[in-house]
Amino acid sequence: DDGVVSSLTAERLASVMRPKVDAVTHLDELTRDADLSAFVVFSSVAGTFGSAGQANYAAANAFLDALVTARRSAGLPATALAWGPWAPGAGMTAGLAEADLRRLARSGMLPLAPAQGLGLLDTVLELGAGLERACVLPVHMDIAALRRRAPEDVSPLLRALVRSRARRKAGTGIGTGVGGEATPLRQQLLALPAGERERFLRGFVSEQAASVLGHGSAQQVEADHTFKDLGFDSLTSVELRNRLNAATGMRLPATLVFDYPTPADVVRFALTELVEDGTPGVVAGEVMLPASVGVGDDPVVVVGMACRFPGGVGSPEDLWRLVREGGDAIGGFPSDRGWDVDRLFDPEPGVPGRTYVREGGFLHDASEFDAGLFGISPREALAMDPQQRLLLETSWEVLERAGIDPATLRGSRTGVFAGAIAQDYGSVLRSGELDSGGYLMTGNTGSVASGRIAYSFGFEGPAVTVDTACSSSLVALHLAAQALRAGECDLALAGGVTVMAGPEMFVEFSRQRGLAVDGRCKAFGEGA
């Protein structure tokens, strides 16, 4: 259960501590009075050297080493073997993939063949109490690999094994050096034309990523592919972060590849940190958005719009045309939502479970959704409230209409303010035969309507879903303008959505006699 410290929970600690700490503690207590010839525990070199992305595992093995040291101090037999990696198929490290073994080899540890490992175990058992130390490290060290690494990349515990060598020439790192001066490579970035800096840094980050993955060329790393798709796990992610820290002089978080999930995202983030022109703000493509604006200088400007409304309205142009021509957007009940339309209608008002209206303002294509565009599986898409789907699609479209590449806003202080009132899709799913487990909650929770947009596009501004009934969209727009004026975000998506998954709302309004008989009630309908 690998993980960096910030990602660990009590449960994740317990899952690793239980077979290590609990088991050996019981073994120690139950054999204290026995006349043992040997008390041998298998720990890991991770407890001595540390291991990136294995905080709980390193701690558990460090405990084993401490326990045998305490036993030895009490005059009891005890030895801990802090093993290095074994070869694949040897049992001890059968779960290691080829990428894991390459990573370990770069760190100076080669896998032990079974014959080597068993031979070392025999040696330890033969020496017994004659061993000077309670903890020994049966590790196949590759001294040549250690010497090829930069000194700061070698554990302080191993530096004595590496011959001292000349310091690397200046210019191989980026960032700020001692005293705050710019390092040569950062100066090189600053000297480049603005249009070439991103390409230059892309090459550098791709080289580092390729090296971590054991590739021979940076061309094997697609800058727009996610780190996960490229083959990164928690260990290699931390190794890449460490390399970039050393090269840039920055203090990047251990969660770097999760906060900025592609090499291109990391490059854009690094550019804002390394090539600062003194103007506060967030880089979005070629436009620098102001971080804050005074209330007296109103920053609220509408730069794009997208919509879906009844009557086949799929764009602002369609909406203006409908209004200008006095068109009629009211139509019959939708046929793709599983409603028993014939049974639902009764001309007599007040009949339980029936509505006296045959028509309304419905989005007849609300079931359509381009799930692949957002990297969503068909099963998850089916579990998503159509309102979430519509908000995602119109959010993408409004950015395109504003002339903004959605990818350039990842990591920006963009806020999302969404109004949503009808939330009945979950009940429809539960009554069906479809397996929506794992997606039902996120697909049908009101707060996720705005949160999913922020997550999908990588926005880091406020994300708020509001329900004030028919005024929800207006309130969302008000909150967005308020947040912009207060400097809480630099850009905001604001709007609302209403899609009725079931006819219950129509039935309830019918019982209240709140619907016009001709369906043209002037104040009720669906849209996004």
Side-chain angles (χ1 to χ4, degrees):
D1 194 4
D2 294 335
V4 295
V5 172
S6 59
S7 71
L8 297 182
T9 62
E11 292 75 18
R12 295 186 69 184
L13 280 169
S15 67
V16 175
M17 294 290 184
R18 189 177 300 113
K20 292 273 186 181
V21 174
D22 292 356
V24 175
T25 298
H26 292 317
L27 191 63
D28 170 49
E29 293 175 351
L30 293 170
T31 62
R32 284 247 160 183
D33 297 329
D35 184 17
L36 300 180
S37 59
F39 184 98
V40 180
V41 303
F42 282 12
S43 71
S44 166
V45 70
T48 302
F49 296 153
S51 182
Q54 291 186 303
N56 44 1
Y57 185 66
N61 285 291
F63 176 89
L64 298 188
D65 297 340
L67 183 140
V68 299
T69 300
R71 278 185 60 96
R72 184 74 73 92
S73 298
L76 298 171
T79 302
L81 281 79
W83 292 103
W86 281 49
M92 290 249 296
T93 51
L96 289 179
E98 186 63 30
D100 298 317
L101 293 173
R102 288 199 301 267
R103 175 181 54 80
L104 290 168
R106 290 195 303 276
S107 71
M109 286 186 284
L110 298 175
L112 286 165
Q116 289 177 300
L118 294 173
L120 292 169
L121 175 60
D122 288 340
T123 299
V124 169
L125 294 177
E126 289 169 5
L127 292 173
L131 277 172
E132 181 181 351
R133 297 180 181 276
C135 303
V136 294
L137 277 66
V139 183
H140 186 181
M141 298 303 303
D142 183 354
I143 304 302
L146 287 176
R147 288 173 180 159
R148 287 193 295 270
R149 294 175 69 86
E152 61 268 22
D153 292 339
V154 178
S155 168
L157 299 176
L158 295 174
R159 287 177 190 167
L161 300 177
V162 184
R163 295 193 192 117
S164 60
R165 56 181 179 169
R167 191 171 179 174
R168 288 184 297 173
K169 293 182 180 179
T172 58
I174 316 174
T176 301
V178 177
E181 71 278 6
T183 58
L185 195 47
R186 183 181 180 187
Q187 291 174 343
Q188 189 174 354
L189 270 175
L190 292 170
L192 288 172
E196 296 183 16
R197 292 170 182 166
E198 183 171 344
R199 180 184 59 81
F200 179 85
L201 204 52
R202 271 198 179 209
F204 173 77
V205 172
S206 294
E207 286 177 4
Q208 297 301 313
S211 178
V212 168
L213 294 173
H215 296 321
S217 168
Q219 294 179 347
Q220 295 176 266
V221 175
E222 293 286 344
D224 294 315
H225 287 192
T226 66
F227 285 107
K228 181 179 179 181
D229 290 341
L230 290 172
F232 277 82
D233 56 20
S234 60
L235 301 182
T236 48
S237 297
V238 174
E239 183 179 350
L240 176 63
R241 187 284 306 262
N242 291 345
R243 282 171 171 260
L244 294 178
N245 271 349
T248 64
M250 297 162 64
R251 293 180 61 84
L252 300 168
T255 55
L256 177 72
V257 304
F258 303 102
D259 298 335
Y260 305 94
T262 70
D265 292 329
V266 169
V267 167
R268 283 189 285 269
F269 167 70
L271 276 176
T272 65
E273 297 295 315
L274 294 169
V275 188
E276 188 64 62
D277 65 357
T279 303
V282 179
V283 172
E286 296 297 320
V287 181
M288 179 68 73
L289 302 175
S292 62
V293 181
V295 175
D297 186 11
D298 194 340
V300 180
V301 179
V302 177
V303 296
M305 177 181 173
C307 61
R308 305 283 188 275
F309 284 113
V313 172
S315 68
E317 291 79 9
D318 290 342
L319 178 61
W320 307 146
R321 188 179 307 113
L322 180 71
V323 173
R324 185 179 64 248
E325 297 175 356
D328 190 350
I330 302 302
F333 282 9
S335 59
D336 60 352
R337 303 189 192 183
W339 299 3
D340 188 345
V341 176
D342 294 333
R343 184 180 179 279
L344 191 61
F345 175 74
D346 193 301
E348 182 66 29
V351 177
R354 307 293 179 90
T355 175
Y356 56 83
V357 178
R358 288 181 178 272
E359 296 182 316
F362 295 102
L363 291 172
H364 288 273
D365 56 357
S367 60
E368 298 180 6
F369 178 56
D370 187 357
L373 176 65
F374 301 97
I376 296 173
S377 69
R379 181 168 169 266
E380 182 178 5
L382 195 61
M384 288 170 57
D385 189 324
Q387 297 181 132
Q388 291 190 22
R389 305 179 208 160
L390 276 168
L391 285 172
L392 276 176
E393 287 192 334
T394 51
S395 294
W396 182 283
E397 183 179 322
V398 74
L399 292 172
E400 285 190 330
R401 284 178 163 271
I404 300 173
D405 180 354
T408 64
L409 293 179
R410 183 169 296 278
S412 68
R413 296 172 70 248
T414 299
V416 181
F417 301 85
I421 55 173
Q423 296 172 17
D424 53 357
Y425 186 65
S427 60
V428 175
L429 284 179
R430 293 186 185 92
S431 63
E433 299 178 355
L434 299 171
D435 178 16
S436 304
Y439 297 120
L440 189 62
M441 181 176 68
T442 55
N444 295 273
T445 301
S447 59
V448 178
S450 56
R452 188 185 290 274
I453 296 172
Y455 176 79
S456 297
F457 292 100
F459 300 155
E460 296 185 4
V464 180
T465 306
V466 297
D467 178 359
T468 58
C470 296
S471 64
S472 296
S473 296
L474 182 61
V475 173
L477 184 62
H478 166 73
L479 292 175
Q482 195 174 56
L484 286 167
R485 292 188 177 112
E488 296 172 359
C489 55
D490 304 322
L491 190 69
L493 286 177
V497 62
T498 299
V499 176
M500 288 172 281
E504 290 78 16
M505 193 175 295
F506 254 80
V507 172
E508 281 298 304
F509 271 97
S510 293
R511 291 299 299 272
Q512 297 175 12
R513 303 293 293 271
L515 300 178
V517 176
D518 64 358
R520 287 150 181 82
C521 56
K522 324 303 187 292
F524 194 80
E526 299 181 336

